[in-house]
Amino acid sequence: MNVQTANPIAEAYRRDGFYFPVRAMSAEAAAGYRARLEAHEKANGGPLKSAMRTDVHLLFTWADELIRNEKVLDAVEAVIGPNILCWITNFFIKEPKDGNYVSWHQDATYWGLEPHDQVLTAWLALSDAPVESGAMKFLAGSHKTGLQAHADTFHESNLLSRGQEIQVEVDEADATDVPLKAGEFSLHHVLMTHGSHPNTTDDRRIGLAIRYIPTTVRQTKVRDTAVLVRGVDEYGHFDLLDGPDADMSEKALAVHKDANERLVKALLSGTDETQLRD
Ligand code: NI
């Protein structure tokens, strides 16, 4: 029997385009990871900025642990099979009442990956992420409608790199709220139409989006990097990276800089922007 049809996570994912919640770790363990992030922020003058929010797994040993979390990988494997690359990570952090939001969008429009529909995002909550904190919203079944047209807005309060917004009317009443507790994660399909509202609570909302792909996927825009987190890579479509030897070491910073430059080239090709923004 095909393991992908036997698993309830895979079934729901194929039907709805998402699955949640799944617990990756205890609330205490999640608080421990949050403390390590915030210790770094405190020592460096405030919240992680722009490029530092991308590919934190190449900068911090604790973030490298997160992309290899066994509970997360078990759920990912149920959907995309046993040979798994972590392509990129993005922290999506909303400060209390900072007004930042994420416009309705599909991710696949600007990533350059082929086939474009094989990317799976695990969104791991390091703080509680109730609806009021600007939790993600999903449009069930939207992963089946194919790629829709998007327009780049580059709006200031938009957390997306290009402020990209889907050009179809989304009825909020049809959306599914995705509240998570610290230590839980959701999975969503790369064609899932999703977005989120501002954080109206008094706590930060901290989530790490981890983008996983099967080793069969290619990057069409640049020679890109990835980390093999489970199984074997028999394709060699990406330059494989090791985790950092130490937090923010010289070597880790150099690897991160190189990976980020390739990514920026891929994500921003076709626009006039020269760097990613929060
Ligand atoms: Ni997205």
Side-chain angles (χ1 to χ4, degrees):
M1 194 198 295
N2 184 340
V3 69
Q4 295 183 15
T5 56
N7 187 288
I9 295 178
E11 272 177 34
Y13 182 88
R14 277 217 288 266
R15 182 186 62 236
D16 302 327
F18 60 82
Y19 187 87
F20 78 98
V22 188
R23 184 157 285 286
M25 65 187 78
S26 67
E28 292 71 29
Y33 284 108
R34 175 177 178 167
R36 294 175 78 175
L37 164 69
E38 293 185 336
H40 169 82
E41 289 179 325
K42 198 170 172 204
N44 290 276
L48 280 184
K49 291 268 186 312
S50 17
M52 300 293 280
R53 291 193 181 197
T54 303
D55 286 351
V56 284
H57 64 291
L58 301 178
L59 292 173
F60 301 103
T61 54
W62 52 266
D64 180 64
E65 284 172 30
L66 292 176
I67 67 169
R68 300 170 194 273
N69 177 282
E70 291 292 325
K71 296 276 173 36
V72 173
L73 291 179
D74 288 347
V76 171
E77 178 172 350
V79 178
I80 66 173
N83 299 318
I84 304 170
L85 298 174
C86 171
W87 174 49
I88 58 171
T89 54
N90 309 95
F91 257 122
F92 283 96
I93 301 173
K94 288 177 180 164
E95 302 300 333
K97 303 184 169 68
D98 69 1
N100 286 338
Y101 68 97
V102 175
S103 51
W104 286 102
H105 70 285
Q106 294 169 305
D107 291 329
T109 53
Y110 58 103
W111 282 353
L113 300 174
E114 293 292 341
H116 66 269
D117 60 352
Q118 302 284 303
V119 191
L120 181 159
T121 298
W123 198 101
L124 175 61
L126 294 187
S127 69
D128 284 341
V131 171
E132 305 76 45
S133 72
M136 274 194 298
K137 291 165 171 282
F138 293 147
L139 210 55
S142 56
H143 65 304
K144 292 178 179 167
T145 60
L147 267 173
Q148 307 285 339
H150 287 67
D152 294 341
T153 68
F154 292 105
H155 190 279
E156 229 173 51
S157 297
N158 196 321
L159 286 171
L160 298 179
S161 55
R162 295 157 64 144
Q164 55 273 39
E165 197 161 48
I166 199 163
Q167 296 299 288
V168 293
E169 202 60 44
V170 174
D171 186 347
E172 295 261 341
D174 296 336
T176 302
D177 289 315
V178 190
L180 295 169
K181 298 275 193 201
E184 292 180 340
F185 64 97
S186 59
L187 298 179
H188 72 267
H189 189 282
V190 69
L191 288 175
M192 171 57 43
T193 299
H194 59 288
S196 67
H197 291 303
N199 177 7
T200 61
T201 73
D202 293 323
D203 192 15
R204 312 177 82 189
R205 194 227 52 178
I206 304 171
L208 183 65
I210 311 171
R211 321 290 185 179
Y212 293 105
I213 49 178
T215 51
T216 47
V217 167
R218 304 171 177 273
Q219 167 61 273
T220 60
K221 293 185 175 177
V222 292
R223 177 71 190 175
D224 209 344
T225 62
V227 178
L228 183 66
V229 288
R230 186 174 275 187
V232 291
D233 177 12
E234 294 175 331
Y235 294 90
H237 292 158
F238 291 78
D239 290 342
L240 298 183
L241 303 174
D242 296 323
D245 53 343
D247 289 352
M248 301 289 283
S249 71
E250 221 168 282
K251 189 177 162 201
L253 285 167
V255 168
H256 178 265
K257 183 168 183 283
D258 174 58
N260 201 248
E261 281 169 2
R262 302 193 207 190
L263 184 66
V264 166
K265 223 183 255 179
L267 298 196
L268 297 180
S269 72
T271 79
D272 295 331
E273 293 281 298
T274 53
Q275 58 179 3
L276 295 175
R277 311 175 314 156
D278 323 277

